[in-house]
């Protein structure tokens, strides 16, 4: 359960924004979507490797 303490004088919009950010960090929605359809471990691993290669390419361009 996520608890957000509203500070004195803080608007509801700011508190809601902090709640959304905390909720996103927990990864609940990401896990829920991944559980909706079964994915073989080999497919999951393949996508992780593709993502890692993509990120390495991005980091390579930044460092150059």
């Amino acid at each position: 359960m996520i608890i957000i303490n509203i500070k004195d004088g803080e608007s509801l919009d700011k508190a809601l924004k902090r709640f959304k950010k905390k909720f996103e960090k927990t990864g609940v929605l990401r896990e829920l979507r991944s559980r909706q359809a079964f994915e073989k471990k080999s497919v999951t691993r393949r996508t992780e490797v593709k993502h890692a290669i993509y990120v390495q390419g991005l980091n390579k361009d930044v460092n150059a």
Side-chain angles (χ1 to χ4, degrees):
M1 182 180 212
I2 300 173
I3 298 173
I4 301 293
N5 295 324
I6 299 177
K7 300 170 185 166
D8 290 336
E10 184 180 28
S11 69
L12 190 59
D13 291 333
K14 282 196 174 194
L16 186 61
K17 190 173 185 178
R18 285 194 300 128
F19 171 77
K20 286 181 180 179
K21 190 172 274 192
K22 256 188 179 181
F23 182 74
E24 190 175 310
K25 279 186 179 181
T26 60
V28 173
L29 278 180
R30 195 176 323 124
E31 186 173 339
L32 178 69
R33 288 188 183 124
S34 71
R35 287 177 182 234
Q36 284 182 344
F38 179 75
E39 190 175 66
K40 289 180 10 179
K41 290 189 184 221
S42 61
V43 175
T44 305
R45 177 78 178 132
R46 194 177 318 134
T47 56
E48 285 178 4
V49 169
K50 275 186 171 182
H51 181 71
I53 291 171
Y54 173 75
V55 170
Q56 268 188 336
L58 288 178
N59 289 338
K60 182 179 175 186
D61 291 341
V62 171
N63 293 334

